Amino acid sequence: MSAPVTINGKSYQWPQRPTVVVCIDGGDPAYLKQYLSEGIIPNIQRFIEQGFATVAKGSMPSFTCPNNMSIITGTPTAEHGISGNYYLDTSTWQPVVMTGPELLRGQTILAGFAEQGAKVVSITAKDKLRKQLGKGLDVSQGHVSFSSEFADACTLEENGIENVLEYVGMPKPSMYSMELSLFVLQAGLKLLRVRRPDLLFLSLTDYVQHKCAPDDDQARQFYRQLDSLFGELAEQDIVLGLIADHGMNDKCNAAGEPNVIWLQDVLDEAFGVGETIVVCPITDAFVGHHGSLGSFVRVWSKGRISDEQIIQRIQGLDGVDLAVDKPTACRLFELPADREADVVVVARHDYVIGTTAAAHNLEGLNGQRLRTHGGISETDIPFILNRPLNAHYQHVAATQVINSYQIFEFALNGILAD
Ligand SMILES: [Zn+2]
């Protein structure tokens, strides 16, 4: 057994047995609540009864990239720097995509352990996370890093594994399917059985949760299958941590129409076109299921309009939870100031904020209710371990707010020894 490893200033014990953290993308506590009451997720129920479970806090904005990076680095957004899918480069006024590994600050927990000789695995459903999750990993040393999105294109050189479809025994899943997530878990299970790596991070996609409320049969079916795979993973004598990146809420009125604030339209009307720029940091290449609409946006001023003027215009709007300047947003939400806008706007739980009505295509919703995330109302997330905590971490859990980025800390340092 090796010595503890220090990563981004925090000390982690060497894993006693393979340690697996699964990020259930969009895994709002409401899903578990519903299915626990129905008695259809017996493995998760056993972890809650025999291990440890709480509702923890995810990072703001409650989007996928920032929260996956918080979890994998063990740090808040202010430290790792990934505060959305996009930020605005104010030298060119162009949005810059934030998925490049060079933009991630600090080391991942996987890379920190790999450097000391542990074998590590990172598998993500969507490829947009892969390069940051795999930052600093030399896959020629027996580590694995790939996405199920491109499972058919893996090479030893790039991913540390090849012929993944044959290896896992599943066809390539569609981008919009629950199989994209199930593939991640099946691949992790196979690697665990065959190679028994020390540390695994398995990150799913929120396709089902965007589409389906907890009482929808498709979501029920998805969680039954997740639960069964969690059970199979736990049988491999591991420490299993279950976490989510963010929750999910219905953003519609009683008639089923999305409650949208078209903020660029509002600001253009107040201050003139071209004076302010609204950026929706949820935007990515796959928007069919949410139309690039979330409950958190950023506003930059070109210089003529003050933060105060922008905030005053926004504050009275129905559906707005919060409109604050950069220093306040950075303090409240632990955000990196050098990538933050002049004004941050957060919507209420049942509202989203877009740019202009013309810029967002809602046809991808196919008439379904808009369910999405990004706000404070989606920062509650489940935090579950399949084994009981030691005395010190029982005390920590009883006396402090637990953040999602502590899941590796709890899984490595907090489990009661045999
Ligand atoms: Zn997500």
Side-chain angles (χ1 to χ4, degrees), residues 23-27 62-65 67-68 126 128 204-206 210 245-248 373:
C23 177
I24 308 171
D25 198 323
S62 53
F63 292 134
T64 300
C65 292
N67 276 283
N68 270 267
K126 290 187 187 178
K128 71 177 179 189
L204 313 183
T205 160
D206 56 10
H210 269 289
D245 51 352
H246 53 77
M248 191 70 72
H373 51 95

Side-chain angles (χ1 to χ4, degrees), residues 241-262:
L242 304 178
I243 193 81
D245 51 352
H246 53 77
M248 191 70 72
N249 275 308
D250 186 296
K251 308 284 182 180
C252 292
N253 62 22
E257 298 149 345
N259 291 318
V260 189
I261 300 164
W262 299 114

Side-chain angles (χ1 to χ4, degrees), residues 30-77:
Y31 292 94
L32 294 184
K33 198 175 166 205
Q34 170 95 21
Y35 307 139
L36 286 167
S37 78
E38 295 177 7
I40 61 165
I41 45 173
N43 291 298
I44 297 172
Q45 186 170 348
R46 190 178 72 249
F47 305 154
I48 293 171
E49 285 165 4
Q50 299 177 4
F52 170 73
T54 189
V55 174
K57 282 288 168 198
S59 299
M60 277 291 281
S62 53
F63 292 134
T64 300
C65 292
N67 276 283
N68 270 267
M69 294 314 128
S70 292
I71 293 164
I72 205 65
T73 60
T75 63
T77 315

Side-chain angles (χ1 to χ4, degrees), residues 6 48 63 103 112 118 145 168 181-182 207 228 231 246 263 316 319 326 339 351 362 388-389 397 416:
T6 299
I48 293 171
F63 292 134
L103 294 170
S145 172
V168 176
S181 289
L182 300 175
Y207 164 75
S228 155
H246 53 77
L263 193 60
K326 181 191 321 203
R339 291 176 185 168
Y351 261 81
L362 297 181
L389 297 182
L416 187 66

